[in-house]
Amino acid sequence: MDTQGPAGPSAAAHRDFYWLRSFVAGGVAGCCAKTTIAPLDRVKILLQAHNHHYKHLGVFSTLCAVPKKEGYLGLYKGNGAMMIRIFPYGAIQFMAFDQYKKLIKKKLGISGHVHNLMAGSMAGITAVICTYPLDMVRARLAFQVKGEHKYTGIIHAFKTIYTKEGGFIGFYRGLMPTVVGMAPYAGFSFFTFSTLKSIGLAQAPNLLGRPSLDNPEVLVLKTHVSLLCGGLAGAIAQTISYPLDVTRRRMQLGAALPDADKCLTMVQTLKYVYRHHGIRRGLYRGLSLNYIRCIPSQAVAFTTYEFMRQLLHLN
């Protein structure tokens, strides 16, 4: 009885620190991933929403045109807001994935690859709802072109949206397609990576794996293998959810677009984009860019998270 007294607080403290370390690991992974592809993210938003300065250009032409018109820092416009958003987003997503996995296994008795799909979807939705206002502001800032600034910065954008677009509700414009799109995206992303990781380590542990830095009894993927698995996970997930990502961006940009009154709901926006721009040039516009950005992004995110788990003794 006496020996259990100190063990209780110690175990609780360890659990608290585990949550904190898991939070930090996910946040760092998210920031590293997004910083890698920030210029491509800016171009994607400009193309998806048919910005009139760049709508006649393709992906690579826009990448070249933005620095000429706005300077090289123009490629990183909105990235400050992105970093403020992506740290909590990545932190919540990865931490929630671990917790949902345990919860699903314990409460529903579901394990294996299916619970990775379910936990990934739930983690993605949780992270989106918690950080959506920051994503809204980041999209508005990234859509601006030099000389035509409606917002002077992050705080000004928050104030303007709150004042002119219905208060707090204005920050959640386009949330529904985001949630609907995030469920398959996050779900298939975590599912694919976890499946490839478990199969790889089971079938070829010596070729694909190595002992973890913090726990030699645990096998982790080698860095180049982890990058490959993460990239493949991102490609599959993006293909499934991309039309909903286009819908989300158009709804987020709202008043910044001339056809905002025709894109008030998710279904309305999907129909409008399909009718006026078709599948390839509308619902899947910018997909080639998205493959170029989502593959390195997910590769870096998963690989950094796996490394941070070892660094912070989470294995």
Side-chain angles (χ1 to χ4, degrees):
M1 191 106 170
D2 292 338
T3 56
Q4 287 177 0
S10 175
H14 178 74
R15 280 196 299 273
D16 289 341
F17 280 119
Y18 182 91
W19 275 69
L20 180 61
R21 285 177 291 162
S22 180
F23 189 86
V24 170
V28 171
C31 287
C32 288
K34 284 296 181 184
T35 300
T36 305
I37 51 110
L40 295 169
D41 247 356
R42 171 90 205 281
V43 170
K44 186 189 81 161
I45 289 174
L46 292 170
L47 291 180
Q48 276 185 341
H50 296 82
N51 185 286
H52 67 278
H53 288 281
Y54 303 107
K55 65 181 180 181
H56 60 287
L57 301 174
V59 171
F60 296 107
S61 305
T62 306
L63 269 173
C64 296
V66 170
K68 288 178 184 174
K69 184 172 180 59
E70 306 178 53
Y72 282 101
L73 287 179
L75 290 169
Y76 288 87
K77 187 173 285 184
N79 199 50
M82 169 61 89
M83 289 299 102
I84 294 168
R85 167 192 170 257
I86 208 62
F87 186 89
Y89 178 88
I92 292 167
Q93 186 178 41
F94 279 104
M95 187 175 69
F97 176 67
D98 283 340
Q99 297 305 315
Y100 282 135
K101 267 203 310 183
K102 293 172 187 172
L103 191 69
I104 290 167
K105 192 173 183 179
K106 185 179 177 182
K107 299 291 184 184
L108 303 179
I110 298 170
S111 59
H113 302 310
V114 174
H115 90 308
N116 285 328
L117 182 64
M118 292 172 66
S121 298
M122 292 163 68
I125 290 169
T126 302
V128 159
I129 291 171
C130 291
T131 61
Y132 194 79
L134 285 165
D135 190 40
M136 162 77 82
V137 169
R138 202 267 311 188
R140 294 288 179 94
L141 291 173
F143 188 67
Q144 294 185 135
V145 174
K146 192 174 183 180
E148 297 179 7
H149 283 197
K150 184 178 178 181
Y151 311 107
T152 56
I154 297 170
I155 294 171
H156 181 247
F158 267 110
K159 285 181 179 176
T160 307
I161 293 168
Y162 184 83
T163 306
K164 297 185 177 178
E165 298 187 36
F168 191 69
I169 294 171
F171 292 115
Y172 282 90
R173 182 185 171 100
L175 178 64
M176 188 52 67
T178 308
V179 168
V180 173
M182 183 48 69
Y185 176 74
F188 278 102
S189 191
F190 278 106
F191 167 78
T192 305
F193 183 81
S194 299
T195 303
L196 291 172
K197 180 183 176 182
S198 60
I199 291 173
L201 292 177
Q203 298 298 320
N206 295 326
L207 180 65
L208 304 178
R210 60 171 176 79
S212 173
L213 297 174
D214 62 323
N215 186 354
E217 293 181 8
V218 175
L219 273 183
V220 295
L221 293 173
K222 291 177 179 176
T223 303
H224 66 282
V225 179
S226 183
L227 286 166
L228 185 63
C229 291
L232 191 56
I236 291 169
Q238 272 298 338
T239 304
I240 293 167
S241 63
Y242 192 75
L244 290 163
D245 189 40
V246 173
T247 303
R248 168 177 68 107
R249 282 289 176 227
R250 291 190 72 89
M251 290 184 73
Q252 277 183 336
L253 292 169
L257 298 174
D259 50 10
D261 59 315
K262 299 181 180 71
C263 302
L264 299 175
T265 68
M266 184 178 77
V267 175
Q268 200 178 19
T269 307
L270 275 168
K271 284 181 179 176
Y272 177 81
V273 173
Y274 174 71
R275 262 200 315 267
H276 286 78
H277 305 289
I279 294 175
R280 191 169 68 86
R281 292 189 173 276
L283 295 176
Y284 279 93
R285 179 177 172 83
L287 181 61
S288 59
L289 170 64
N290 229 44
Y291 280 137
I292 296 167
R293 61 176 282 284
C294 79
I295 291 172
S297 172
Q298 288 299 92
V300 170
F302 279 113
T303 304
T304 304
Y305 182 68
E306 292 285 299
F307 175 71
M308 290 299 295
R309 281 184 64 87
Q310 297 170 65
L311 206 63
L312 298 174
H313 299 275
L314 292 168
N315 289 318

